[in-house]
């Protein structure tokens, strides 16, 4: 039995979409479940699509999620460039491995599985235009290759000369003309594809001395002893070529098994979940905030206040089901429960409300102290500094109502500062003389209250007092709450009084009803 080794192989072409995070997560869970290694490899051989900062973004996003690689990235989050015991296959950036691939491309040419192609970009463009004019699509394959400029049609001497004297040639795979490729996918089962419609993909380019994705991917998966390739379904059309490459190299015995994950779908309608859906419906589709070169900001789950555990839990269940009713899974529980045979073939519809639900659940599971710590910077943004013990009590009281830590402020800001205005709609309703008068009496009662200083005792005493005077309980309470919070809604009076203290309570009552004469007008 070979040790399980899987890899996440992103191309640094921009921020990592949440679908990409899910691919990394499933790789990670699979590796850990099997006691294996999770490797990161950066596939950056397409220099035209390289985006500065994307590599760091990807690594940081995975670290935020707790998806920590065993190999390829060091503990500081840097892609490893020099081999060591822990990272024997360094460098892990394909652009830095460029010296490796040429001999593999040449090996295929020598064995007759590939050939040199000398067609210039202009010649190929002309072929495309010609085919288009005839209502067809040009494909570089068995139908056309014998009319084009390559080592299959030119003499050996001419080929040698062009190889030596020109620099814009490529190595192309010689796709079999009519063969059924039989493949197996861990999620999709057995697949058969006829090679008739497939093209002679470029494997290596002399111009930049770089391999294309296909060659680099196969060679590196082989050298890095990858046992399973778990990736997005957009790579399924490349699978026949990859199978044929393994065969051509004579590596079928150690060929990895493949699993192609379905897409994440839009919350409404059909199609792939895109950044535009997020912008339109107001939810993030990227793990972290991303600022592009033009300074445009794309929101991220982290900055929107999601807990990484909630994000990971939600992602894990987008396309995999545990086969039970359980929804809340820690990373360790996911590692134990995950199984490839319960990964669904169909696309998974993303539901932003469910993402919020997960966050709410994780918020409730956190201790009051932990949440209070997270609340400190939110308070600071509002210019409030508070005693930590007091903060813990506040958090304890309001955490059930919040989805995000930032909600604490919206729910309970009035526990930290007095209201400056009073909602008109509510004042019209509650600040009537018949309510204000008893409210002032209740205020005196509280100021003089000497019973136990906790919510239950104070609440009981208040209710007894109001009932004994036969005042309308709800109206009087709302009248007071309005004075304390600026609106008719909020926490219970006793809770507020306990948390802001008698002195602050009296001052707010005084301020609100200083003009009680005007109220009676
Ligand atoms: N570089 C490819 C990507 O960014 C990797 C595909 C694969 O995992 O084979 O999706």
């Amino acid at each position: 039995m070979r040790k399980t080794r899987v890899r996440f192989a992103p191309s640094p072409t921009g921020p990592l979409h949440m679908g990409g995070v899910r691919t990394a997560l499933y790789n990670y869970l699979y590796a850990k479940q099997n006691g294996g290694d999770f490797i990161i490899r950066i596939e950056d051989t397409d220099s035209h699509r390289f985006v500065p900062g994307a590599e760091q973004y990807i690594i940081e996003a995975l670290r935020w999620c707790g998806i920590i690689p065993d190999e390829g990235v060091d503990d500081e989050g840097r892609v490893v460039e020099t081999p060591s015991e822990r990272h024997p296959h360094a460098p892990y950036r394909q652009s830095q491995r460029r010296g490796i691939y040429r001999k593999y491309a040449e090996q295929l040419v020598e064995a007759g599985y590939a050939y040199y192609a000398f067609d210039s970009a202009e010649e190929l463009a002309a072929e495309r235009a010609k085919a288009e004019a005839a209502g067809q699509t040009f494909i570089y394959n068995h139908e056309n290759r014998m009319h084009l400029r390559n080592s299959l049609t030119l003499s050996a001497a001419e080929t040698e000369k062009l190889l030596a004297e020109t620099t814009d040639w490529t190595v192309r795979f010689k796709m079999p003309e009519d063969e059924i490729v039989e493949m197996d996918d861990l999620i999709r089962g057995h697949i058969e594809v006829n090679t008739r419609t497939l093209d002679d993909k470029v494997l290596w380019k002399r111009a930049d001395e770089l391999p294309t994705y296909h060659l680099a991917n196969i060679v590196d998966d082989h050298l890095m002893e990858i046992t399973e390739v778990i990736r997005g379904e957009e790579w399924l059309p490349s699978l026949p070529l990859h199978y044929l490459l393994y065969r051509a190299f004579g590596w079928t015995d150690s060929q990895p098994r493949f699993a192609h994950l379905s897409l994440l779908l839009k919350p409404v309608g059909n199609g792939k979940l895109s950044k535009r859906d997020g912008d339109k419906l107001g939810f993030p589709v990227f793990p972290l905030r991303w600022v592009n070169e033009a300074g445009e900001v794309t929101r991220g789950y982290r900055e929107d206040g999601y807990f990484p555990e909630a994000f990971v839990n939600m992602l894990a269940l987008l396309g995999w089901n545990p086969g039970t009713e359980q929804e809340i899974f820690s990373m360790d529980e996911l590692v134990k429960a995950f199984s490839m045979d319960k990964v669904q073939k169909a696309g998974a519809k993303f539901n932003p409300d469910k993402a919020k639900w997960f966050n709410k659940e994780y918020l409730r599971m956190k201790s009051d102290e932990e949440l209070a710590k997270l609340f400190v910077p939110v308070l600071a943004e509002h210019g409030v500094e508070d005693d930590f013990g007091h903060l813990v009590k506040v958090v304890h009281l309001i955490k059930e109502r919040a989805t995000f830590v930032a909600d604490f402020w919206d729910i309970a800001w009035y526990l930290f500062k007095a209201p400056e205005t009073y909602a008109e709609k509510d004042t019209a309703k509650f600040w009537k003389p018949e309510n204000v008068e008893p409210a002032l009496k209740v205020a005196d009662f509280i100021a003089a209250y000497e019973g136990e200083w906790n919510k239950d005792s104070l609440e009981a005493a208040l209710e007894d007092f109001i009932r004994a005077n036969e005042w309308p309980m709800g109206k009087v309470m709302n009248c007071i709450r309005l004075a304390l919070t600026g609106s008719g809604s909020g926490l219970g009076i006793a809770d507020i009084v306990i948390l802001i203290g008698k002195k602050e309570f009296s001052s707010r009552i005084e301020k609100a009803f200083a003009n009680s004469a005007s109220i009676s007008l």
Side-chain angles (χ1 to χ4, degrees):
M1 267 286 272
R2 287 203 289 165
K3 184 178 191 193
T4 296
R5 286 174 59 79
V6 299
R7 85 302 189 272
F8 180 58
S11 299
T13 55
L16 185 62
H17 184 275
M18 58 192 275
V21 181
R22 187 192 57 167
T23 301
L25 174 65
Y26 285 9
N27 271 284
Y28 176 81
L29 296 177
Y30 186 85
K32 296 297 118 189
Q33 179 170 71
N34 292 289
D37 295 328
F38 171 66
I39 297 147
I40 300 266
R41 182 175 73 225
I42 304 293
E43 300 206 326
D44 59 348
T45 56
D46 187 353
S47 53
H48 303 297
R49 296 180 62 218
F50 178 81
V51 172
E55 178 187 290
Q56 249 347 91
Y57 177 99
I58 293 166
I59 293 168
E60 198 186 329
L62 298 184
R63 280 161 78 94
W64 179 65
C65 293
I67 303 173
I68 309 296
D70 299 293
E71 205 179 302
V73 171
D74 67 18
D75 296 334
E76 276 74 51
R78 283 184 301 246
V79 177
V80 181
E81 300 184 3
T82 345
S84 63
E85 203 177 315
R86 180 173 154 202
H87 306 281
H89 301 284
Y92 289 87
R93 248 183 232 115
Q94 287 183 329
S95 60
Q96 293 172 330
R97 300 167 65 76
R98 63 170 71 215
I100 293 177
Y101 309 105
R102 180 174 186 163
K103 73 164 193 271
Y104 289 103
E106 278 168 356
Q107 179 188 326
L108 293 184
V109 177
E110 271 154 40
Y113 292 110
Y115 57 91
Y116 298 111
F118 302 103
D119 322 87
S120 65
E122 295 76 36
E123 283 166 337
L124 290 177
E127 289 293 337
R128 264 182 230 116
K130 204 167 78 191
E132 236 166 75
Q136 287 161 353
T137 324
F138 170 74
I139 305 179
Y140 207 128
N141 69 354
H142 60 93
E143 284 176 25
N144 294 311
R145 66 168 84 104
M146 296 315 283
H147 314 298
L148 296 162
R149 268 160 43 82
N150 54 51
S151 57
L152 303 173
T153 58
L154 301 173
S155 71
E158 214 168 334
T159 298
E160 282 310 316
K161 190 168 176 310
L162 286 170
L163 285 179
E165 291 173 8
T166 64
T167 55
D168 65 350
W169 50 268
T170 60
V171 174
R172 282 185 184 266
F173 186 70
K174 193 173 161 202
M175 186 57 79
E177 202 175 313
D178 182 14
E179 187 192 322
I180 308 253
V181 186
E182 300 205 30
M183 300 161 282
D184 288 295
D185 184 279
L186 294 169
I187 297 166
R188 285 144 213 276
H190 191 71
I191 307 167
E192 292 185 2
V193 170
N194 192 302
T195 56
R196 215 179 301 135
T197 54
L198 304 178
D199 62 337
D200 292 357
K201 282 265 184 289
V202 171
L203 300 177
W204 193 83
K205 295 163 287 156
R206 172 66 179 82
D208 53 11
E209 306 212 336
L210 277 172
T212 57
Y213 156 73
H214 302 289
L215 180 69
N217 189 270
I218 298 308
V219 168
D220 282 345
D221 282 349
H222 172 71
L223 296 177
M224 295 181 182
E225 298 171 77
I226 299 303
T227 53
E228 277 83 17
V229 167
I230 304 166
R231 63 184 173 191
E233 75 173 5
E234 65 272 28
W235 299 105
L236 198 54
S238 303
L239 193 57
L241 170 63
H242 294 180
Y243 259 69
L244 293 171
L245 280 170
Y246 279 104
R247 191 174 75 186
F249 281 122
W251 297 337
T252 27
D253 286 349
S254 60
Q255 176 180 321
R257 300 192 294 164
F258 290 89
H260 288 86
L261 306 173
S262 60
L263 291 173
L264 296 190
L265 304 176
K266 297 174 185 303
V268 280
N270 295 318
K272 194 176 157 186
L273 176 68
S274 72
K275 171 170 144 36
R276 221 169 315 133
D277 300 313
D279 293 343
K280 216 164 50 195
L281 299 171
F283 62 83
V285 293
F286 294 98
L288 316 178
R289 183 208 302 263
W290 169 258
V291 186
N292 72 7
E293 280 176 309
E296 288 155 353
V297 179
T298 303
R299 65 202 286 182
Y301 279 88
R302 182 176 66 183
E303 291 73 16
D304 270 19
Y306 285 84
F307 297 117
E309 310 91 293
F311 177 60
V312 163
N313 194 156
M314 180 273 294
L315 269 187
L317 290 170
L318 266 182
W320 167 76
N321 81 75
T324 64
E325 293 295 298
Q326 185 177 349
E327 287 194 280
I328 300 295
F329 287 89
S330 66
M331 191 67 105
D332 285 345
E333 288 170 325
L334 285 172
V335 166
K336 289 202 190 86
F338 185 74
S339 68
M340 203 59 91
D341 59 351
K342 293 210 169 63
V343 173
Q344 71 193 44
K345 274 192 219 118
K349 226 180 215 330
F350 172 63
N351 176 355
D353 293 333
K354 194 72 188 182
K356 285 195 180 141
W357 179 85
F358 274 108
N359 213 62
K360 199 171 166 63
E361 292 297 309
Y362 274 85
L363 188 144
R364 288 166 61 174
M365 287 190 280
K366 289 197 186 290
S367 72
D368 299 342
E369 285 74 16
E370 209 176 332
L371 291 171
K373 255 187 230 149
L374 296 172
F375 192 25
V376 170
V378 179
L379 283 176
E381 271 171 41
H382 293 281
V384 174
E385 232 180 88
D386 195 28
D387 167 73
F388 191 71
H390 179 247
L391 216 49
V392 172
K393 284 188 198 139
V394 170
V395 165
H396 177 76
L397 194 64
I398 60 177
K399 71 193 237 192
E400 296 290 323
R401 303 176 181 217
T403 301
F404 301 104
V405 170
D407 294 346
F408 291 165
W409 177 257
D410 300 328
I411 296 171
W413 60 271
Y414 52 80
L415 296 180
F416 305 98
K417 59 175 209 176
E420 271 148 31
T421 55
Y422 305 96
E424 249 173 65
K425 189 173 99 281
D426 295 325
T427 48
K429 196 158 151 204
F430 299 118
W431 282 1
K432 297 198 169 128
E434 68 267 29
N435 298 332
V436 172
E437 253 164 64
L440 287 169
K441 299 243 167 61
V442 172
D444 290 341
F445 174 82
I446 290 175
Y449 174 77
E450 285 196 338
E452 254 181 89
W453 195 243
N454 63 49
K455 178 223 163 173
D456 290 339
S457 313
L458 180 62
E459 193 168 66
L462 275 180
E463 284 178 10
D464 286 349
F465 180 67
I466 294 174
R467 222 172 274 126
N469 285 287
E470 293 180 358
W471 291 322
M473 181 82 68
K475 286 182 183 158
V476 174
M477 289 295 203
N478 276 331
C479 177
I480 298 173
R481 187 178 293 108
L482 186 49
L484 301 182
T485 72
S487 87
S489 62
L491 295 165
I493 303 298
D495 275 323
I496 302 175
V497 175
I498 295 287
L499 287 168
I500 63 175
K502 268 189 194 177
K503 216 167 118 218
E504 175 67 16
F505 167 75
S506 302
S507 116
R508 289 191 196 183
I509 293 290
E510 220 164 274
K511 187 176 158 213
F513 300 126
N515 287 331
S516 59
S518 68
I519 292 167
S520 42
L521 282 179

